[in-house]
Amino acid sequence: FVVKAAGKKPGKKTLEEAATATASYSRAWRLGLTTLDVFYVKPEQVTKKAKSGEYLGKGAFMITGKTNYLRPGVELAVGNKDGRVISGPVSAVKKQTKEFVVVKQGSEKTSSVAKRIKKKIGCDLDEIIRALPAGGCSL
């Protein structure tokens, strides 16, 4: 995930929400992990150029300097914002919508959970399915 802060330093809440989204949309969800170490760096620490004598594969980035770690929980919310489906950390979705449901890891199929979400918040079923992470879910 990339946080764009328009020239200013992102706040602690923004970094926590980005870390939660990163953890929730990673393999941690499918593997059943409840927390995950997530790190963030400043833009000037990221480069596509390898150090002398090293090779950087296509699509890879080089991180230099100190990495800052957070340990967020793995949990999401799905909501209806003006007829559109939005998903992300509970605090972020709660701020933007009146109708939302909290989704946790589980063993139910994504499609059956999506149908239950559709009954609660409305919206298009395909959009809801795309908003859910890979792996089982529960409400």
Side-chain angles (χ1 to χ4, degrees):
F1 277 74
V2 175
V3 175
K4 292 185 178 183
K8 52 187 173 177
K9 187 177 178 184
K12 184 178 179 184
K13 186 74 173 167
T14 301
L15 293 173
E16 288 172 359
E17 288 176 349
T20 300
T22 301
S24 297
Y25 284 104
S26 72
R27 278 189 225 150
W29 187 279
R30 188 178 16 206
L31 295 174
L33 303 175
T34 57
T35 62
L36 182 71
D37 285 333
V38 175
F39 73 88
Y40 66 93
V41 294
K42 296 176 184 172
E44 57 269 11
Q45 292 178 260
V46 182
T47 182
K48 290 192 72 116
K49 295 182 176 141
K51 293 178 183 174
S52 180
E54 292 184 14
Y55 174 75
L56 203 56
K58 185 176 182 176
F61 294 90
M62 176 73 74
I63 306 292
T64 59
K66 182 182 178 232
T67 53
N68 305 289
Y69 283 87
L70 298 172
R71 193 172 184 94
V74 178
E75 179 182 69
L76 292 174
V78 178
N80 180 349
K81 181 180 180 182
D82 304 324
R84 282 186 14 244
V85 175
I86 63 169
S87 67
V90 177
S91 59
V93 173
K94 191 176 190 177
K95 276 190 280 187
Q96 297 185 43
T97 64
K98 291 181 181 171
E99 299 175 331
F100 69 94
V101 292
V102 176
V103 181
K104 297 187 180 205
Q105 298 161 312
S107 57
E108 292 181 62
K109 283 186 172 180
T110 304
S111 57
S112 64
V113 172
K115 288 175 187 172
R116 290 176 40 210
I117 293 171
K118 180 181 170 68
K119 287 180 185 176
K120 293 184 183 213
I121 68 168
C123 295
D124 182 52
L125 185 63
D126 290 334
E127 280 187 52
I128 295 170
I129 291 172
R130 280 193 297 272
L132 295 173
C137 302
S138 69
L139 295 181

